[in-house]
Amino acid sequence: MPINFLAGQVLVFDKPLGMTSFGLVAKVRWLLTRAMGGRKIKVGHAGTLDPLASGVMLLCTGRATKQIETLQAGTKTYEATIQLGATTPSFDLEHAIDATYPTDHLSRDVVEKALDAFRGDIMQVPPVFSACKVEGKRAYDLARKGQDVALQAKPIHIYEYVLTDYRDDTHQADVRIVCSKGTYIRSLARDLGEALGCGAHLTALRRTAVGDHDLSHAFTIEAFEAWLATQDIDTQLPA
């Protein structure tokens, strides 16, 4: 049976490291338009990923874009690496380290105990280098211009925050996080560093699931292009 992207499809992608969310949407839209003989099609995403993060992104085509809000509300699952003992302005590797702190008091047990405070319903202040809007302008645009940005704390829910590995020699913590919509993993790294009194920033982030959609059935861009070439595509919009 022909596949109809105009009628609406939810596609699961594994966004590569270094690509923006907009870049992935634009690439997929271009591939679909080409496969449909130049027919224009609406494509949107159900939740962004930073360029320095990889993993699951849901893209909706045609009429399925109406499902975006519902899909965005699903839980997100992440695997992350947090570097303890140093901070950056963006809470990740987008910016260079701006301060370092003693780490002699750290251990796996100390870190695991600190995670307890971040489970359940919590309030979180988003990073200033984020897409949050301040008086109609993106916070990261203001921050990159050197302006002071004050963002309000927002309620989120952390279902799971587990230490999966801790390296005493480098003070790097690998964690698994299951959280609600609107959670910034960079902010969780910052807050963990503050709780431990040593500062912290994110050095790696991979989203492994959005709701019931996970990496096991996610397309790479290359795999999607190859798959698309084998499909019988219906280019007519259903009534």
Side-chain angles (χ1 to χ4, degrees):
M1 183 176 179
I3 187 168
N4 193 313
F5 293 101
L6 294 169
Q9 300 291 327
V10 177
L11 304 170
V12 186
F13 280 88
D14 182 354
K15 186 191 82 65
L17 190 68
M19 177 176 274
T20 65
S21 298
F22 176 79
L24 178 61
V25 170
K27 178 67 174 180
V28 171
R29 184 189 296 115
W30 182 83
L31 289 171
L32 287 172
T33 298
R34 185 182 66 174
M36 295 168 59
R39 181 77 185 261
K40 291 184 178 181
I41 184 169
K42 184 185 295 185
V43 180
H45 63 72
T48 62
L49 268 180
D50 290 338
L52 293 178
S54 66
V56 174
M57 270 191 66
L58 304 184
L59 269 58
C60 300
T61 74
R63 291 177 178 173
T65 54
K66 296 178 181 178
Q67 300 178 39
I68 284 177
E69 187 172 344
T70 299
L71 292 169
Q72 283 179 328
T75 59
K76 315 293 191 301
T77 304
Y78 295 91
E79 293 176 354
T81 299
I82 300 172
Q83 176 66 61
L84 301 171
T87 58
T88 74
S90 55
F91 314 150
D92 64 6
L93 294 178
E94 181 182 346
H95 291 81
I97 290 172
D98 59 2
T100 58
Y101 302 88
T103 53
D104 293 342
H105 63 293
L106 297 178
S107 67
R108 184 184 183 104
D109 288 344
V110 168
V111 175
E112 282 188 323
K113 186 174 182 180
L115 295 180
D116 292 342
F118 298 100
R119 300 188 186 103
D121 293 320
I122 65 172
M123 298 295 290
Q124 182 187 75
V125 178
V128 293
F129 288 92
S130 69
C132 292
K133 287 191 174 182
V134 180
E135 296 180 354
K137 297 182 180 179
R138 297 292 186 185
Y140 56 66
D141 288 332
L142 299 174
R144 285 167 183 158
K145 292 177 182 177
Q147 297 183 31
D148 291 331
V149 180
L151 296 175
Q152 299 299 312
K154 298 179 179 180
I156 60 169
H157 188 88
I158 305 299
Y159 298 91
E160 185 176 324
Y161 196 176
V162 178
L163 185 67
T164 58
D165 191 26
Y166 182 73
R167 294 175 283 286
D168 289 292
D169 56 337
T170 60
H171 301 294
Q172 287 184 326
D174 292 338
V175 295
R176 182 177 185 272
I177 299 163
V178 182
C179 56
S180 67
K181 170 187 175 182
T183 301
Y184 283 91
I185 308 303
R186 286 180 288 147
S187 288
L188 282 179
R190 170 204 61 196
D191 294 343
L192 177 62
E194 290 182 355
L196 290 168
C198 64
H201 63 280
L202 202 64
T203 60
L205 180 63
R206 185 156 174 76
R207 187 156 70 193
T208 59
V210 175
D212 295 328
H213 303 282
D214 60 32
L215 289 168
S216 67
H217 53 277
F219 284 114
T220 62
I221 296 173
E222 296 78 12
F224 178 71
E225 184 173 6
W227 172 82
L228 198 58
T230 68
Q231 300 305 302
D232 181 12
I233 301 174
D234 183 354
T235 60
Q236 299 303 309
L237 185 62

